[in-house]
Short mmCIF file of all heavy atoms in Angstrom, two decimals:
data_model
loop_
_atom_site.label_atom_id
_atom_site.label_comp_id
_atom_site.label_asym_id
_atom_site.label_seq_id
_atom_site.Cartn_x
_atom_site.Cartn_y
_atom_site.Cartn_z
N ILE A 37 -0.53 3.11 39.85
CA ILE A 37 -1.15 2.27 38.80
C ILE A 37 -0.85 0.75 38.92
O ILE A 37 -1.75 -0.06 38.76
CB ILE A 37 -0.63 2.73 37.45
CG1 ILE A 37 -1.04 4.18 37.16
CG2 ILE A 37 -1.08 1.79 36.19
CD1 ILE A 37 -0.40 4.77 35.97
N TYR A 38 0.33 0.49 39.32
CA TYR A 38 0.75 -0.98 39.68
C TYR A 38 -0.14 -1.58 40.79
O TYR A 38 -0.56 -2.64 40.51
CB TYR A 38 2.17 -1.08 39.82
CG TYR A 38 2.78 -2.46 39.76
CD1 TYR A 38 3.34 -2.97 38.57
CD2 TYR A 38 2.79 -3.33 40.80
CE1 TYR A 38 3.83 -4.19 38.44
CE2 TYR A 38 3.41 -4.65 40.67
CZ TYR A 38 3.86 -5.10 39.47
OH TYR A 38 4.27 -6.30 39.37
N ALA A 39 -0.36 -0.78 41.76
CA ALA A 39 -1.13 -1.23 42.98
C ALA A 39 -2.55 -1.42 42.56
O ALA A 39 -3.24 -2.33 43.01
CB ALA A 39 -0.84 -0.33 44.01
N PHE A 40 -2.96 -0.49 41.80
CA PHE A 40 -4.48 -0.65 41.35
C PHE A 40 -4.65 -1.87 40.53
O PHE A 40 -5.69 -2.70 40.88
CB PHE A 40 -4.76 0.54 40.47
CG PHE A 40 -6.15 0.47 39.65
CD1 PHE A 40 -7.38 0.69 40.48
CD2 PHE A 40 -6.29 0.11 38.37
CE1 PHE A 40 -8.59 0.55 39.79
CE2 PHE A 40 -7.41 -0.06 37.84
CZ PHE A 40 -8.68 0.13 38.49
N PHE A 41 -3.92 -2.22 39.56
CA PHE A 41 -4.07 -3.34 38.78
C PHE A 41 -3.81 -4.60 39.61
O PHE A 41 -4.46 -5.73 39.35
CB PHE A 41 -3.17 -3.43 37.60
CG PHE A 41 -3.63 -2.49 36.45
CD1 PHE A 41 -2.81 -1.52 35.91
CD2 PHE A 41 -4.89 -2.64 35.88
CE1 PHE A 41 -3.29 -0.64 34.98
CE2 PHE A 41 -5.34 -1.88 34.81
CZ PHE A 41 -4.48 -0.84 34.41
N SER A 42 -2.94 -4.58 40.58
CA SER A 42 -2.67 -5.80 41.44
C SER A 42 -3.84 -5.98 42.28
O SER A 42 -4.08 -7.28 42.69
CB SER A 42 -1.51 -5.52 42.31
OG SER A 42 -0.20 -5.25 41.58
N ILE A 43 -4.59 -5.06 42.66
CA ILE A 43 -5.87 -5.18 43.41
C ILE A 43 -6.99 -5.82 42.74
O ILE A 43 -7.72 -6.71 43.07
CB ILE A 43 -6.25 -3.91 44.09
CG1 ILE A 43 -5.20 -3.49 45.16
CG2 ILE A 43 -7.55 -3.92 44.88
CD1 ILE A 43 -5.38 -2.04 45.85
N VAL A 44 -7.24 -5.22 41.49
CA VAL A 44 -8.42 -5.54 40.64
C VAL A 44 -8.18 -6.89 39.83
O VAL A 44 -9.19 -7.49 39.47
CB VAL A 44 -8.69 -4.49 39.65
CG1 VAL A 44 -9.18 -3.18 40.51
CG2 VAL A 44 -7.63 -4.15 38.66
N SER A 45 -7.08 -7.32 39.74
CA SER A 45 -6.72 -8.51 39.08
C SER A 45 -5.76 -9.44 39.73
O SER A 45 -4.73 -9.21 40.14
CB SER A 45 -6.16 -8.23 37.60
OG SER A 45 -5.84 -9.48 36.99
N PRO A 46 -6.25 -10.73 40.14
CA PRO A 46 -5.38 -11.60 40.81
C PRO A 46 -4.22 -12.25 39.90
O PRO A 46 -3.30 -12.76 40.51
CB PRO A 46 -6.20 -12.85 41.12
CG PRO A 46 -7.38 -12.80 40.06
CD PRO A 46 -7.61 -11.46 39.68
N PHE A 47 -4.35 -11.95 38.61
CA PHE A 47 -3.18 -12.39 37.72
C PHE A 47 -2.11 -11.43 37.46
O PHE A 47 -1.12 -11.71 36.93
CB PHE A 47 -3.74 -12.79 36.34
CG PHE A 47 -5.04 -13.87 36.55
CD1 PHE A 47 -6.30 -13.37 36.42
CD2 PHE A 47 -4.70 -15.11 36.82
CE1 PHE A 47 -7.34 -14.32 36.44
CE2 PHE A 47 -5.78 -16.14 36.93
CZ PHE A 47 -7.17 -15.66 36.82
N PHE A 48 -2.33 -10.12 37.87
CA PHE A 48 -1.47 -9.11 37.62
C PHE A 48 -0.21 -9.22 38.49
O PHE A 48 0.84 -9.17 37.97
CB PHE A 48 -2.07 -7.76 37.78
CG PHE A 48 -1.22 -6.53 37.34
CD1 PHE A 48 -1.04 -6.17 35.93
CD2 PHE A 48 -0.49 -5.88 38.27
CE1 PHE A 48 -0.29 -5.16 35.57
CE2 PHE A 48 0.38 -4.85 37.91
CZ PHE A 48 0.45 -4.47 36.54
N PHE A 49 -0.45 -9.39 39.82
CA PHE A 49 0.79 -9.21 40.68
C PHE A 49 1.42 -10.59 40.73
O PHE A 49 1.02 -11.45 41.65
CB PHE A 49 0.34 -8.84 42.11
CG PHE A 49 1.35 -8.55 43.03
CD1 PHE A 49 2.19 -7.37 42.90
CD2 PHE A 49 1.75 -9.35 44.06
CE1 PHE A 49 3.31 -7.09 43.71
CE2 PHE A 49 2.88 -9.09 44.99
CZ PHE A 49 3.60 -7.93 44.77
N SER A 50 2.42 -10.82 39.90
CA SER A 50 3.24 -12.08 40.05
C SER A 50 4.57 -11.71 39.25
O SER A 50 4.68 -10.83 38.60
CB SER A 50 2.51 -13.21 39.19
OG SER A 50 2.48 -12.92 37.76
N TYR A 51 5.56 -12.62 39.63
CA TYR A 51 6.86 -12.41 39.04
C TYR A 51 6.90 -12.61 37.56
O TYR A 51 7.55 -11.77 36.89
CB TYR A 51 7.81 -13.33 39.78
CG TYR A 51 9.22 -13.28 39.27
CD1 TYR A 51 10.02 -12.24 39.63
CD2 TYR A 51 9.79 -14.19 38.31
CE1 TYR A 51 11.41 -12.01 39.07
CE2 TYR A 51 11.03 -14.02 37.75
CZ TYR A 51 11.81 -12.97 38.21
OH TYR A 51 13.21 -12.81 37.74
N GLY A 52 6.16 -13.59 37.10
CA GLY A 52 6.13 -13.80 35.71
C GLY A 52 5.51 -12.61 34.94
O GLY A 52 6.09 -12.20 33.88
N ASN A 53 4.48 -11.98 35.48
CA ASN A 53 3.89 -10.86 34.82
C ASN A 53 4.80 -9.65 34.94
O ASN A 53 4.86 -8.76 34.01
CB ASN A 53 2.53 -10.54 35.29
CG ASN A 53 1.68 -9.59 34.50
OD1 ASN A 53 1.56 -9.90 33.28
ND2 ASN A 53 1.29 -8.54 35.16
N PHE A 54 5.53 -9.57 35.99
CA PHE A 54 6.48 -8.41 36.34
C PHE A 54 7.49 -8.53 35.17
O PHE A 54 7.84 -7.42 34.47
CB PHE A 54 7.05 -8.48 37.61
CG PHE A 54 8.17 -7.43 37.82
CD1 PHE A 54 7.85 -6.16 37.97
CD2 PHE A 54 9.48 -7.82 37.99
CE1 PHE A 54 8.78 -5.32 38.21
CE2 PHE A 54 10.42 -6.87 38.28
CZ PHE A 54 10.19 -5.64 38.27
N ILE A 55 8.03 -9.74 34.90
CA ILE A 55 9.07 -9.78 33.81
C ILE A 55 8.39 -9.60 32.55
O ILE A 55 9.14 -8.92 31.62
CB ILE A 55 9.68 -11.30 33.96
CG1 ILE A 55 10.52 -11.46 35.24
CG2 ILE A 55 10.60 -11.49 32.67
CD1 ILE A 55 11.58 -10.60 35.31
N ALA A 56 7.20 -9.90 32.30
CA ALA A 56 6.46 -9.67 31.03
C ALA A 56 6.33 -8.16 30.80
O ALA A 56 6.57 -7.70 29.70
CB ALA A 56 5.16 -10.34 31.08
N ILE A 57 6.12 -7.48 31.84
CA ILE A 57 6.10 -5.96 31.72
C ILE A 57 7.37 -5.45 31.32
O ILE A 57 7.55 -4.53 30.43
CB ILE A 57 5.45 -5.44 33.07
CG1 ILE A 57 4.05 -5.76 33.26
CG2 ILE A 57 5.73 -3.74 33.03
CD1 ILE A 57 3.54 -5.34 34.64
N LEU A 58 8.43 -5.77 32.04
CA LEU A 58 9.78 -5.36 31.68
C LEU A 58 10.05 -5.75 30.19
O LEU A 58 10.74 -4.88 29.50
CB LEU A 58 10.86 -5.89 32.63
CG LEU A 58 10.78 -5.59 34.07
CD1 LEU A 58 11.84 -6.23 34.95
CD2 LEU A 58 10.97 -4.05 34.17
N PHE A 59 9.75 -6.92 29.85
CA PHE A 59 10.07 -7.38 28.50
C PHE A 59 9.36 -6.48 27.45
O PHE A 59 9.93 -6.11 26.41
CB PHE A 59 9.57 -8.85 28.32
CG PHE A 59 10.21 -9.60 27.28
CD1 PHE A 59 11.49 -9.21 26.59
CD2 PHE A 59 9.53 -10.53 26.64
CE1 PHE A 59 11.92 -9.88 25.64
CE2 PHE A 59 10.15 -11.21 25.37
CZ PHE A 59 11.32 -10.88 25.02
N SER A 60 8.06 -6.21 27.67
CA SER A 60 7.39 -5.38 26.74
C SER A 60 7.72 -3.84 26.88
O SER A 60 7.48 -3.16 25.96
CB SER A 60 5.86 -5.45 27.16
OG SER A 60 5.53 -4.84 28.44
N THR A 61 8.48 -3.51 27.82
CA THR A 61 8.92 -2.23 27.91
C THR A 61 10.09 -1.89 27.01
O THR A 61 10.51 -0.71 26.71
CB THR A 61 9.37 -1.86 29.38
OG1 THR A 61 8.25 -2.04 30.22
CG2 THR A 61 9.84 -0.32 29.52
N VAL A 62 10.85 -2.98 26.56
CA VAL A 62 12.07 -2.84 26.00
C VAL A 62 11.97 -2.01 24.70
O VAL A 62 12.87 -1.05 24.50
CB VAL A 62 12.71 -4.19 25.65
CG1 VAL A 62 13.93 -4.19 24.64
CG2 VAL A 62 13.07 -4.96 26.94
N VAL A 63 11.13 -2.24 23.84
CA VAL A 63 10.88 -1.58 22.62
C VAL A 63 10.60 -0.08 22.80
O VAL A 63 11.34 0.79 22.24
CB VAL A 63 9.96 -2.32 21.55
CG1 VAL A 63 9.73 -1.44 20.29
CG2 VAL A 63 10.51 -3.75 21.19
N ILE A 64 9.56 0.03 23.54
CA ILE A 64 9.15 1.47 23.80
C ILE A 64 10.25 2.29 24.52
O ILE A 64 10.43 3.42 24.22
CB ILE A 64 7.77 1.57 24.63
CG1 ILE A 64 6.59 0.80 23.86
CG2 ILE A 64 7.40 2.93 25.04
CD1 ILE A 64 5.35 0.81 24.66
N GLY A 65 10.78 1.59 25.48
CA GLY A 65 11.88 2.18 26.22
C GLY A 65 13.22 2.70 25.48
O GLY A 65 13.71 3.70 25.49
N THR A 66 13.50 1.70 24.42
CA THR A 66 14.63 2.00 23.65
C THR A 66 14.36 3.11 22.64
O THR A 66 15.24 4.18 22.56
CB THR A 66 15.03 0.65 22.75
OG1 THR A 66 15.31 -0.39 23.63
CG2 THR A 66 16.19 1.04 21.78
N LEU A 67 13.10 3.15 22.07
CA LEU A 67 12.74 4.25 21.36
C LEU A 67 12.67 5.55 21.97
O LEU A 67 13.11 6.65 21.56
CB LEU A 67 11.37 3.96 20.57
CG LEU A 67 11.38 2.94 19.46
CD1 LEU A 67 9.82 2.65 19.13
CD2 LEU A 67 12.21 3.28 18.29
N ALA A 68 12.14 5.48 23.26
CA ALA A 68 11.98 6.70 24.07
C ALA A 68 13.28 7.23 24.58
O ALA A 68 13.43 8.48 24.56
CB ALA A 68 11.06 6.31 25.28
N ILE A 69 14.26 6.40 24.85
CA ILE A 69 15.56 6.95 25.33
C ILE A 69 16.24 7.61 24.04
O ILE A 69 16.74 8.82 24.35
CB ILE A 69 16.49 5.74 25.64
CG1 ILE A 69 15.99 5.09 27.01
CG2 ILE A 69 17.94 6.21 25.72
CD1 ILE A 69 16.82 3.89 27.45
N GLY A 70 16.15 7.20 22.84
CA GLY A 70 16.69 7.96 21.75
C GLY A 70 16.04 9.16 21.50
O GLY A 70 16.70 10.28 21.39
N THR A 71 14.75 9.27 21.49
CA THR A 71 13.90 10.36 21.18
C THR A 71 14.02 11.40 22.29
O THR A 71 13.66 12.70 22.09
CB THR A 71 12.43 10.13 20.74
OG1 THR A 71 11.91 11.23 20.02
CG2 THR A 71 11.53 9.95 22.04
N THR A 72 14.40 11.11 23.52
CA THR A 72 14.54 11.90 24.57
C THR A 72 15.65 13.08 24.26
O THR A 72 15.44 14.23 24.46
CB THR A 72 15.04 11.21 25.90
OG1 THR A 72 14.16 10.34 26.26
CG2 THR A 72 15.37 12.25 27.00
N PHE A 73 16.76 12.66 23.65
CA PHE A 73 17.79 13.59 23.28
C PHE A 73 17.22 14.56 22.16
O PHE A 73 17.53 15.79 22.23
CB PHE A 73 18.95 12.75 22.55
CG PHE A 73 19.78 12.04 23.55
CD1 PHE A 73 19.44 10.91 24.03
CD2 PHE A 73 21.08 12.67 23.98
CE1 PHE A 73 20.22 10.21 24.83
CE2 PHE A 73 21.84 12.00 24.83
CZ PHE A 73 21.51 10.69 25.34
N VAL A 74 16.40 14.06 21.22
CA VAL A 74 15.82 14.96 20.25
C VAL A 74 14.80 16.04 20.92
O VAL A 74 14.82 17.13 20.54
CB VAL A 74 15.14 14.26 19.13
CG1 VAL A 74 14.23 15.10 18.23
CG2 VAL A 74 16.10 13.30 18.40
N ILE A 75 13.96 15.56 21.73
CA ILE A 75 12.97 16.47 22.35
C ILE A 75 13.62 17.45 23.36
O ILE A 75 13.17 18.51 23.47
CB ILE A 75 11.94 15.46 23.06
CG1 ILE A 75 11.14 14.71 22.07
CG2 ILE A 75 10.93 16.39 23.92
CD1 ILE A 75 10.02 13.84 22.70
N ILE A 76 14.76 17.07 23.94
CA ILE A 76 15.43 18.05 24.85
C ILE A 76 15.89 19.17 23.99
O ILE A 76 16.06 20.42 24.48
CB ILE A 76 16.51 17.25 25.51
CG1 ILE A 76 15.91 16.49 26.68
CG2 ILE A 76 17.32 18.36 26.19
CD1 ILE A 76 16.95 15.66 27.44
N THR A 77 16.36 18.96 22.75
CA THR A 77 16.76 20.07 21.89
C THR A 77 15.56 20.90 21.29
O THR A 77 15.86 21.92 20.70
CB THR A 77 17.49 19.45 20.54
OG1 THR A 77 16.53 18.73 19.82
CG2 THR A 77 18.65 18.60 20.99
N GLY A 78 14.40 20.53 21.60
CA GLY A 78 13.23 21.15 21.14
C GLY A 78 12.57 20.77 19.88
O GLY A 78 11.78 21.25 19.31
N GLY A 79 13.19 19.50 19.42
CA GLY A 79 12.64 18.88 18.30
C GLY A 79 11.70 17.75 18.51
O GLY A 79 11.24 17.58 19.59
N ILE A 80 11.50 17.04 17.42
CA ILE A 80 10.45 15.88 17.53
C ILE A 80 10.90 14.99 16.46
O ILE A 80 11.47 15.41 15.42
CB ILE A 80 9.00 16.35 17.45
CG1 ILE A 80 8.12 15.37 17.91
CG2 ILE A 80 8.68 16.74 15.96
CD1 ILE A 80 7.86 15.19 19.44
N ASP A 81 10.46 13.71 16.76
CA ASP A 81 10.78 12.70 15.68
C ASP A 81 9.64 11.76 15.58
O ASP A 81 9.46 10.87 16.52
CB ASP A 81 12.14 11.91 15.95
CG ASP A 81 12.55 10.90 14.82
OD1 ASP A 81 11.71 10.80 13.84
OD2 ASP A 81 13.60 10.52 14.81
N LEU A 82 8.91 11.85 14.47
CA LEU A 82 7.71 10.94 14.26
C LEU A 82 8.04 9.74 13.54
O LEU A 82 7.22 8.97 13.18
CB LEU A 82 6.62 11.85 13.42
CG LEU A 82 6.10 13.12 14.09
CD1 LEU A 82 5.10 13.76 13.20
CD2 LEU A 82 5.46 12.79 15.50
N SER A 83 9.26 9.58 13.20
CA SER A 83 9.62 8.51 12.21
C SER A 83 10.19 7.24 12.92
O SER A 83 10.44 6.27 12.31
CB SER A 83 10.72 8.94 11.25
OG SER A 83 11.90 9.23 11.73
N ILE A 84 10.19 7.31 14.29
CA ILE A 84 10.82 6.17 14.99
C ILE A 84 10.15 4.90 14.96
O ILE A 84 10.76 3.87 14.97
CB ILE A 84 11.12 6.66 16.60
CG1 ILE A 84 9.85 7.11 17.10
CG2 ILE A 84 12.21 7.64 16.63
CD1 ILE A 84 10.02 7.47 18.58
N GLY A 85 8.79 4.98 14.79
CA GLY A 85 7.99 3.74 14.72
C GLY A 85 8.23 3.03 13.39
O GLY A 85 8.64 1.89 13.36
N THR A 86 7.87 3.62 12.19
CA THR A 86 8.07 3.04 11.04
C THR A 86 9.52 2.88 10.70
O THR A 86 9.87 1.91 10.00
CB THR A 86 7.42 3.84 9.95
OG1 THR A 86 7.85 5.19 9.83
CG2 THR A 86 5.96 3.94 10.13
N GLY A 87 10.43 3.88 11.31
CA GLY A 87 11.86 3.63 11.11
C GLY A 87 12.37 2.27 11.85
O GLY A 87 13.20 1.60 11.30
N MET A 88 11.69 1.94 12.99
CA MET A 88 12.05 0.60 13.55
C MET A 88 11.55 -0.42 12.74
O MET A 88 12.39 -1.51 12.73
CB MET A 88 11.35 0.74 15.02
CG MET A 88 11.43 -0.56 15.66
SD MET A 88 10.31 -0.74 17.09
CE MET A 88 8.68 -0.84 16.31
N ALA A 89 10.40 -0.44 12.14
CA ALA A 89 10.09 -1.51 11.31
C ALA A 89 11.01 -1.63 10.17
O ALA A 89 11.33 -2.74 9.58
CB ALA A 89 8.62 -1.28 10.85
N LEU A 90 11.40 -0.54 9.55
CA LEU A 90 12.33 -0.62 8.48
C LEU A 90 13.67 -1.16 8.88
O LEU A 90 14.34 -2.02 8.08
CB LEU A 90 12.53 0.77 7.79
CG LEU A 90 13.55 0.89 6.69
CD1 LEU A 90 13.19 -0.03 5.53
CD2 LEU A 90 13.71 2.36 6.12
#
Side-chain angles (χ1 to χ4, degrees):
I37 295 171
Y38 196 90
F40 169 77
F41 284 122
S42 298
I43 293 171
V44 299
S45 173
F47 305 104
F48 183 84
F49 189 74
S50 66
Y51 179 77
N53 193 55
F54 175 72
I55 293 298
I57 291 172
L58 293 180
F59 197 31
S60 65
T61 305
V62 170
V63 173
I64 296 174
T66 302
L67 291 174
I69 288 172
T71 203
T72 297
F73 286 81
V74 172
I75 293 178
I76 289 176
T77 67
I80 197 74
D81 191 349
L82 300 178
S83 67
I84 54 178
T86 58
M88 173 188 71
L90 177 56

